[in-house]
């Protein structure tokens, strides 16, 4: 029976892993018995650039799929999974509730300091109440240079800045939001719930246990399968004297959170995935807002594979919440440059292969198809007009160029480089672990690998076949891309490698 999976991304790390998940799903990774995936990003840092970038990728994915496939249920092809918002869920009572059509869940009244959030009417001004608050939270005087970063004076709409003791108070109000009440009322029997968070900051480490508690307070959900990914430190930030964020405290915060989780989450999860890496990369210390835009990282890619693994497991493979599965991810060897050869067969076949097809499609779409204006398939699909003007193709171009290609390049720009593809090479040299050798005998090319002639012929033949059964140009184009990418991959497998 088809089910929905609700994926909560808590904090900046949660948003970044959902960004990676969006790329994996766009590549056509197959999911078992899943109707929709509903990503829900929870990040109090309202202007966080990492979150904004993820939201733009999700919106582009949603439009591409809706225009290309409508409400079809698909088993393969690019963008085949219905990745949608809460607004797409029909309530059990069939009475539609007006929700913002967004992938983000918003808190109310966070445009203030923590003290004013606790005491909006200034009713706690008495000495006894303030003494209690000051015993629990730092309240450095106004004339101190770091006043704005002390706990009671922290602005909440810039995030919790590594203070889970503040985050847990704010997350207590999550259950009051219209969107969260909608989730509680409309998760059906058989739907699955997955929560992504980091353990070394403020938003993720405080939001994860509070979110589990709020969900399980609804008795109807106690039989649903719950999974979670907790991400331990995998980067550091530069030292900054006036910053509230200090990566020297990441390890101690992780130890404290793990101790708390071992008690508070006991008997509440079916599967807990854990990821960490040596913090080789040092990001610039940006406390939040539009300046916080970190490069994608292999840990975030692997975090997205944990979501796929949880979704694809059959019900009978899960243990009870009293005996949860604890899962780590391993690669074949430790190196600072990782490519597809480092993974075991299951990951290579189910994750890397679809990404390879999608990367071939990106190269063909961005670099080859615009050169084929005289070909019949180009004219049949009305690409001379639509390729640069229609909303569908504008979003497809943006997804490939601004989201997917940027994501791949960012993962190379780390101390732990993840480079499965040579994205600036030609189609024959695209797969780093297996570049195609163009055969020459006595100076004469015997097999040119993937070339313009092969691409034009394949695109023309496939368009002639597809147009007989598919009238929607956008759907036909997506299928055409998938088939030409499959042809490139088949060619890759049939020829010897230079490695």
């Amino acid at each position: 029976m088809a089910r929905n999976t609700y994926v909560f991304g808590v904090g900046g790390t949660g948003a970044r892993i959902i960004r990676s998940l969006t790329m994996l799903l766009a590549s056509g990774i197959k999911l078992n018995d899943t109707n929709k995936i509903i990503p829900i990003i929870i990040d109090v840092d309202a202007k966080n650039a990492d979150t904004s970038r993820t939201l733009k990728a999700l919106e582009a994915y949603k439009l591409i799929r809706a225009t290309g496939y409508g409400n079809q249920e698909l088993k393969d092809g690019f963008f085949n999974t219905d990745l949608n918002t809460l607004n797409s869920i029909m309530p059990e009572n069939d009475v539609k509730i007006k929700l913002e059509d967004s992938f983000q869940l918003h808190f109310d009244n966070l445009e203030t300091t923590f003290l004013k959030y606790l005491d909006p009417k200034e009713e706690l001004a008495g000495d006894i109440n303030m003494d209690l608050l000051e015993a629990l939270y730092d309240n450095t005087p106004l004339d101190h240079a770091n006043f704005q970063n002390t706990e009671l004076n922290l602005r909440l709409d810039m995030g919790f800045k590594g203070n889970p003791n503040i985050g847990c108070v704010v997350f207590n109000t999550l259950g009051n939001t219209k969107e969260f009440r909608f989730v509680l009322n409309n998760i059906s029997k058989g739907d699955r719930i997955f929560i992504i968070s980091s353990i070394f900051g403020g938003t993720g480490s405080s939001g994860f246990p509070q979110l589990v508690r709020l969900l399980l307070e609804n008795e109807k959900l106690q039989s649903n399968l719950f999974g979670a990914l907790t991400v331990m430190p995998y980067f550091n930030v530069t030292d900054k004297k006036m910053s509230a964020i200090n990566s020297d405290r990441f390890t101690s915060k992780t130890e404290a959170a793990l101790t708390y989780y071992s008690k508070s989450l006991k008997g509440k999860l079916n599967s807990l995935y854990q990821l960490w890496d040596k913090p080789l990369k040092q990001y610039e210390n940006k406390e939040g807002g539009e300046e916080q835009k970190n490069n994608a990282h292999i840990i975030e890619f692997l975090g997205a594979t944990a979501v796929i693994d949880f979704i694809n497991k059959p019900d009978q493979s899960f243990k009870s919440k009293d005996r949860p599965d604890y899962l780590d991810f391993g690669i074949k060897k430790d190196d600072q440059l990782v490519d597809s050869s480092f993974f075991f067969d299951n990951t290579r076949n189910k994750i890397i292969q679809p990404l390879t097809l999608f990367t071939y499609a990106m190269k063909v779409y961005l670099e080859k198809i615009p050169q084929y204006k005289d070909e019949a398939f180009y004219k049949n699909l009305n690409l001379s007009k639509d390729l640069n003007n229609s909303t569908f193709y504008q979003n497809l171009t943006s997804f490939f160029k601004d989201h997917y290609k940027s994501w791949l390049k960012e993962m190379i720009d780390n101390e732990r480089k993840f480079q499965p593809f040579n994205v600036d090479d030609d189609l024959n040299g695209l797969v780093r672990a297996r570049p195609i050798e163009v055969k020459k005998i006595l100076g004469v090319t015997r097999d040119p690998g993937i070339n313009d002639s092969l691409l034009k012929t394949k695109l023309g033949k496939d368009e002639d076949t597809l147009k007989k059964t598919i009238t929607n140009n956008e759907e036909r184009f997506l299928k055409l891309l998938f088939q030409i990418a499959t042809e490139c991959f088949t060619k890759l497998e049939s020829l010897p490698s230079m490695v």
Side-chain angles (χ1 to χ4, degrees), residues 455-470:
L455 295 174
K456 289 178 183 179
T457 301
K458 178 66 175 172
L459 288 166
K461 287 182 178 179
D462 286 351
E463 163 61 10
D464 287 341
T465 301
L466 290 169
K467 70 181 181 182
K468 295 175 184 177
T469 56
I470 302 173

Side-chain angles (χ1 to χ4, degrees), residues 21-31 75-80 301 305 308 312 340 345-362 400 404 407-408 420-421 430-431 481-482 485-486 489 492:
L21 177 64
T22 306
M23 305 306 153
L24 297 192
L25 295 176
S27 75
I29 284 174
K30 294 183 179 180
L31 303 180
K75 295 297 183 185
D76 56 26
F78 302 138
F79 301 96
N80 70 74
F301 160 74
T305 71
I308 303 294
N312 279 341
S340 56
D345 288 347
N346 187 60
T347 301
R348 281 210 309 271
N349 295 335
K350 295 183 178 180
I351 305 293
I352 300 298
Q353 181 173 326
L355 280 178
T356 304
L357 294 180
F358 198 59
T359 309
Y360 275 127
M362 175 193 73
F400 275 131
Y404 183 65
W407 177 72
L408 290 175
F421 310 112
L430 184 65
V431 179
L481 269 186
F482 185 73
T486 302
F489 184 81
L492 169 74

Side-chain angles (χ1 to χ4, degrees), residues 115 130 133-135 137-142 147 150-153:
L115 177 59
M130 282 306 300
L133 284 178
E134 289 174 353
Y137 303 101
D138 182 13
N139 190 26
T140 300
L142 281 166
F147 162 79
T150 58
E151 292 170 334
L152 285 177
N153 303 301

Side-chain angles (χ1 to χ4, degrees), residues 137-394:
Y137 303 101
D138 182 13
N139 190 26
T140 300
L142 281 166
D143 58 355
H144 192 277
N146 206 26
F147 162 79
Q148 74 275 10
N149 284 326
T150 58
E151 292 170 334
L152 285 177
N153 303 301
L154 198 70
R155 278 198 64 87
L156 297 180
D157 56 353
M158 289 290 287
F160 301 137
K161 298 184 181 178
N163 293 289
N165 54 333
I166 293 175
C168 64
V169 175
V170 176
F171 267 95
N172 272 326
T173 67
L174 179 65
N176 298 331
T177 65
K178 178 170 60 176
E179 291 81 4
F180 192 76
R181 292 197 301 269
F182 181 86
V183 171
L184 290 180
N185 292 332
N186 292 286
I187 295 179
S188 300
K189 184 178 181 180
D191 288 348
R192 295 185 182 181
I193 298 161
F194 196 89
I195 301 169
I196 306 166
S197 63
S198 75
I199 202 171
F200 56 98
T203 306
S205 59
S206 60
F208 171 33
Q210 294 288 72
L211 183 55
V212 172
R213 179 183 63 79
L214 289 168
L215 288 166
L216 287 175
E217 281 180 353
N218 187 329
E219 292 185 5
K220 184 183 76 169
L221 303 185
Q222 292 181 4
S223 62
N224 289 69
L225 292 171
F226 276 70
L229 165 66
T230 185
V231 182
M232 290 174 271
Y234 64 101
F235 63 85
N236 287 323
V237 295
T238 55
D239 291 333
K240 192 174 180 181
K241 187 175 181 181
M242 300 302 294
S243 175
I245 301 172
N246 182 349
S247 53
D248 289 341
R249 296 200 292 264
F250 283 177
T251 300
S252 61
K253 287 183 177 183
T254 298
E255 291 173 354
L258 286 172
T259 301
Y260 175 69
Y261 288 178
S262 68
K263 298 175 182 177
S264 67
L265 296 174
K266 188 175 182 179
K268 296 179 180 178
L269 299 172
N270 299 92
S271 297
L272 179 61
Y273 296 78
Q274 303 169 106
L275 278 174
W276 69 281
D277 193 16
K278 298 173 185 175
L280 301 173
K281 178 71 175 181
Q282 192 172 54
Y283 292 124
E284 190 174 352
N285 192 331
K286 300 294 185 182
E287 295 188 13
E290 296 174 357
E291 292 185 332
Q292 188 171 331
K293 192 174 183 180
N294 296 337
N295 279 345
H297 193 284
I298 186 174
I299 284 291
E300 295 153 16
F301 160 74
L302 297 178
T305 71
V307 184
I308 303 294
D309 183 76
F310 175 77
I311 290 172
N312 279 341
K313 282 186 175 180
D315 287 350
Q316 60 271 23
S317 71
F318 287 94
K319 298 175 183 176
S320 71
K321 291 183 175 73
D322 292 326
R323 296 186 303 114
D325 285 318
Y326 295 96
L327 302 107
D328 298 302
F329 190 96
I331 57 178
K332 289 183 176 180
K333 55 184 176 179
D334 187 9
D335 202 326
Q336 287 188 233
L337 199 161
V338 176
D339 62 29
S340 56
S341 67
F342 282 56
F343 298 105
F344 295 94
D345 288 347
N346 187 60
T347 301
R348 281 210 309 271
N349 295 335
K350 295 183 178 180
I351 305 293
I352 300 298
Q353 181 173 326
L355 280 178
T356 304
L357 294 180
F358 198 59
T359 309
Y360 275 127
M362 175 193 73
K363 296 284 284 185
V364 171
Y365 177 76
L366 293 178
E367 299 176 13
K368 294 297 183 180
I369 286 179
Q371 301 175 15
Y372 298 162
K373 295 178 181 179
D374 295 331
E375 299 300 312
F377 81 88
Y378 195 97
K379 297 172 183 177
N380 287 344
L381 289 163
N382 201 29
L383 294 180
S384 57
K385 176 184 176 182
D386 291 344
L387 193 59
N388 294 316
N389 298 308
S390 84
T391 303
F392 170 81
Y393 287 105
Q394 288 171 351

